[in-house]
Amino acid sequence: MAMVGLFWIAEGDVYVGAKPAGPAPGVRLSPGGVVALGDGQAGLHLWEDVHALTVADVAVKSLMRQVNAVKDLALNTVLELATPLGSAWGDDAPPLMTVRVAASDGEHELAAYSAAAVGYSQTEADLSRALLARLTEGAATMETTLAAMSQWGRGWEGGSPRGTEREELLRGWLG
């Protein structure tokens, strides 16, 4: 499993944001369409009906976000050590992103958790948004792009690639 831009690629599956677990919200990009996962948003939006695919509320990496992440980690560590039952400090859930699907039956807003702990680089966010737009350009484009992403995911071993490698992959998938 690996994060590349706004995408989480697990073997052959491509998700926008983190791969959901249990009832958590998520969005999977399948060859058939955009799949809404999790409590309250199950459904399939067929590619032939999707006119636009965008993402809002993307956490972009900043110095302040990184400082806050380190501060929260340190505070949670101290509280875990100081209290016998652990702490209930803060919300450990990552930020939510909004995936907007414009389809022939209307606009749909889906939720997906961010996969980046301190946010995405602006370049990765921009390239990912361009890639999402590219997926709606037609069946042939969508099929070849998703196939390339899935093939990479099936062959990749290890964690997420470094930032420059991720940007290079996104540029390659954009063609």
Side-chain angles (χ1 to χ4, degrees):
M1 298 193 299
M3 181 188 73
V4 179
L6 301 181
F7 306 99
W8 188 259
I9 304 172
E11 297 169 358
D13 293 330
V14 179
Y15 299 87
V16 179
K19 178 181 178 180
V27 177
R28 186 166 64 90
L29 305 175
S30 75
V34 180
V35 182
L37 303 167
D39 285 350
Q41 68 174 26
L44 171 66
H45 304 284
L46 300 174
W47 285 114
E48 60 205 33
D49 298 329
V50 175
H51 307 298
L53 191 56
T54 59
V55 179
D57 309 317
V58 175
V60 176
K61 193 181 298 183
S62 68
L63 179 59
M64 186 55 77
R65 187 178 297 280
Q66 291 172 318
V67 167
N68 285 336
V70 170
K71 178 188 65 130
D72 289 346
L73 177 63
L75 184 58
N76 282 335
T77 301
V78 169
L79 289 172
E80 289 289 330
L81 293 171
T83 57
L85 298 175
S87 74
W89 179 263
D91 182 11
D92 289 338
L96 280 171
M97 300 185 297
T98 304
V99 180
R100 292 192 176 107
V101 181
S104 55
D105 64 344
E107 288 273 331
H108 305 276
E109 288 193 352
L110 308 174
Y113 282 117
S114 171
V118 294
Y120 301 94
S121 75
Q122 188 64 57
T123 303
E124 281 187 87
D126 292 343
L127 289 169
S128 297
R129 286 180 170 125
L131 188 54
L132 286 168
R134 181 164 170 71
L135 290 173
T136 64
E137 291 177 357
T141 302
M142 179 277 302
E143 288 172 6
T144 56
T145 303
L146 268 183
M149 294 171 82
S150 295
Q151 181 180 0
W152 178 85
R154 282 190 294 275
W156 179 256
E157 293 180 16
S160 297
R162 295 207 173 272
T164 54
E165 294 174 82
R166 294 191 305 263
E167 291 174 14
E168 191 176 302
L169 282 165
L170 291 165
R171 285 186 181 96
W173 294 330
L174 276 167

